[in-house]
Amino acid sequence: MIWLGIVCISFISSCFQKLEKSAGLISFLGLGYLAGTPNMLYDPDAFVYLQNYNSGTDYFETGYNWVTKLFEPSVDYQTFRLYSSLFIFFLMFLAVLLMTKHVSSIALVYAIAMFPVDKAQTRNVMAAVFVLFGAVVLLKLGKRGILPSLLVIFIGFFFHSLALYFLLLPLLWLFKGFIEKHFSAITTCLIVVAFIFEILGSTSIAPLLVQLLGKFANRANVAENVSTLYAGGQPFSQWFVSFAVTMMIILTVQFLRRQYPNNMRSYYQMILCSSILWSAALILMTLSIDYIRILRIVTYFYFIYIVNVTSNQKSTDRLIGVTISIGSAVVLMFVGLWVYGFSGDQIRAIFGFI
């Protein structure tokens, strides 16, 4: 019921463009509460976090391990999970607020599109927040923000190794003009390469990743996971659906750019740079569907661009923006639930119905 309440509050606020910051704050904190109070019976990841918190192991990245060891002597895991989730989602609110004043609109699409999977993947959300702040630095400072952005995103690497991949975002920002001009050619090449690996096999990629992560990874067993858990490939149907989502994002962004060619160029360049990262990640998706985590971070910039471009237009254009945003969010929600294979009880637990 809390999740439904969050969706309703943020939807009403975004439609009437009233109390958008307040409704956004309430919505993000509500999502933080839901993430901080998982149903242990239907959330196996939460049980793993609980076991490692109580045993004090160094199973995860060093930053997360350090934080848990700091709090473990004084608070139980349930308390730690709740307050850390509230804090992380408050930071997410701040990062979104720095990129758009229409915070409730982003809270709405996040609650639908990304939260159902993010709820279980605590460290992924932590890393995503640092990536968002890194993007804020780029948007506010331009090329002068590249080094600070690299530093901010690198801190996220201490909470999830996925942030290592997003260190490429500030580097791509260096060439944002070139990417804007040649975006179609770049993404086409990347997608074709990914398709070839998907059809012919990607066994040559895994050893390269293992070697790279063995040198730079922040988690002791991440290279082992790549060589075992994340190197078995996945059905072509899952890769194809990911490709279809990629095309949805690219075509939607290009449609909005043609409709509003002079609006929000820096945010347009940000979604182009992040879309390049996602198109390249389709190559990694030939190894494992779990790399779809990258897409969940990229879609922040997708929705922020849509909201920023359409929310200040006439009512008909705002309605188009709301329709595109919610439609995309629903698609992404079903894709996320499908690829991870959640059971009916797990889905109900995610939304707080059991």
Side-chain angles (χ1 to χ4, degrees):
M1 293 301 293
I2 294 176
W3 181 84
L4 278 179
I6 291 168
V7 169
C8 290
I9 289 171
S10 54
F11 177 74
I12 293 171
S13 173
S14 61
C15 284
F16 292 99
Q17 295 189 332
K18 301 295 184 182
L19 302 173
E20 292 179 280
K21 295 177 184 177
S22 300
L25 175 60
I26 292 170
S27 297
F28 275 115
L29 289 180
L31 294 171
Y33 174 80
L34 288 176
T37 54
N39 187 325
M40 294 289 181
L41 291 176
Y42 301 105
D43 188 342
D45 282 5
F47 187 70
V48 172
Y49 282 118
L50 169 65
Q51 287 183 314
N52 285 276
Y53 183 86
N54 290 335
S55 61
T57 61
D58 290 326
Y59 184 73
F60 299 113
E61 286 80 4
T62 55
Y64 182 83
N65 292 334
W66 181 84
V67 172
T68 56
K69 288 180 180 179
L70 179 65
F71 286 95
E72 190 275 331
S74 55
V75 298
D76 59 28
Y77 175 71
Q78 286 77 5
T79 303
F80 168 78
R81 172 79 177 239
L82 174 60
Y83 284 103
S84 62
S85 294
L86 289 172
F87 179 67
I88 289 299
F89 277 83
F90 177 70
L91 291 180
M92 186 184 295
F93 161 78
L94 292 179
V96 170
L97 180 61
L98 289 170
M99 288 187 278
T100 180
K101 63 181 181 180
H102 308 290
V103 185
S104 58
S105 297
I106 301 303
L108 170 64
V109 292
Y110 175 81
I112 298 171
M114 293 97 92
F115 178 75
V117 177
D118 271 354
K119 181 182 178 182
Q121 298 180 353
T122 301
R123 293 167 16 262
N124 196 91
V125 179
M126 293 178 177
V129 166
F130 285 99
V131 173
L132 289 177
F133 275 112
V136 168
V137 174
L138 294 174
L139 289 167
K140 300 298 182 183
L141 300 180
K143 291 186 177 181
R144 292 182 293 112
I146 290 174
L147 288 178
S149 177
L150 284 169
L151 177 61
V152 172
I153 297 173
F154 184 71
I155 295 173
F157 173 55
F158 288 92
F159 293 90
H160 198 293
S161 299
L162 180 69
L164 181 67
Y165 185 74
F166 281 91
L167 289 173
L168 294 172
L169 182 60
L171 302 180
L172 289 176
W173 193 250
L174 269 172
F175 308 99
K176 58 184 180 178
F178 178 85
I179 288 173
E180 184 177 6
K181 185 177 180 180
H182 301 285
F183 176 75
S184 296
I186 297 170
T187 52
T188 299
C189 290
L190 290 171
I191 290 171
V192 168
V193 170
F195 180 75
I196 292 172
F197 274 114
E198 175 64 20
I199 297 300
L200 300 182
S202 54
T203 54
S204 61
I205 301 176
L208 180 62
L209 280 177
V210 169
Q211 185 177 8
L212 180 65
L213 292 172
K215 292 181 178 179
F216 298 106
N218 199 295
R219 180 177 174 184
N221 64 338
V222 68
E224 178 186 350
N225 285 343
V226 169
S227 63
T228 55
L229 300 177
Y230 298 160
Q234 82 286 320
F236 177 76
S237 59
Q238 292 186 339
W239 185 91
F240 183 80
V241 168
S242 301
F243 160 74
V245 169
T246 306
M247 296 308 300
M248 178 191 76
I249 291 174
I250 291 173
L251 293 176
T252 300
V253 169
Q254 296 303 327
F255 166 76
L256 292 174
R257 186 60 178 173
R258 287 193 297 270
Q259 294 293 111
Y260 316 103
N262 300 316
N263 273 355
M264 303 290 175
R265 185 183 179 193
S266 60
Y267 290 91
Y268 175 65
Q269 291 173 326
M270 179 59 69
I271 182 56
L272 293 187
C273 290
S274 56
S275 294
I276 292 291
L277 286 180
W278 171 241
S279 299
L282 285 174
I283 300 173
L284 298 177
M285 290 272 295
T286 63
L287 288 172
S288 169
I289 196 65
D290 204 48
Y291 291 106
I292 201 170
R293 298 166 185 261
I294 296 169
L295 174 63
R296 293 208 305 279
I297 297 180
V298 169
T299 47
Y300 283 102
F301 307 117
Y302 170 67
F303 287 123
I304 287 170
Y305 175 69
I306 294 174
V307 168
N308 279 341
V309 165
T310 61
S311 293
N312 296 323
Q313 307 298 326
K314 57 186 180 181
S315 57
T316 303
D317 291 333
R318 289 205 305 269
L319 178 61
I320 292 174
V322 170
T323 302
I324 291 174
S325 296
I326 295 178
S328 298
V330 171
V331 169
L332 289 165
M333 177 185 70
F334 280 111
V335 169
L337 295 175
W338 173 63
V339 298
Y340 280 104
F342 291 120
S343 67
D345 285 340
Q346 286 176 318
I347 293 173
R348 285 189 288 273
I350 287 170
F351 297 115
F353 295 129
I354 59 174

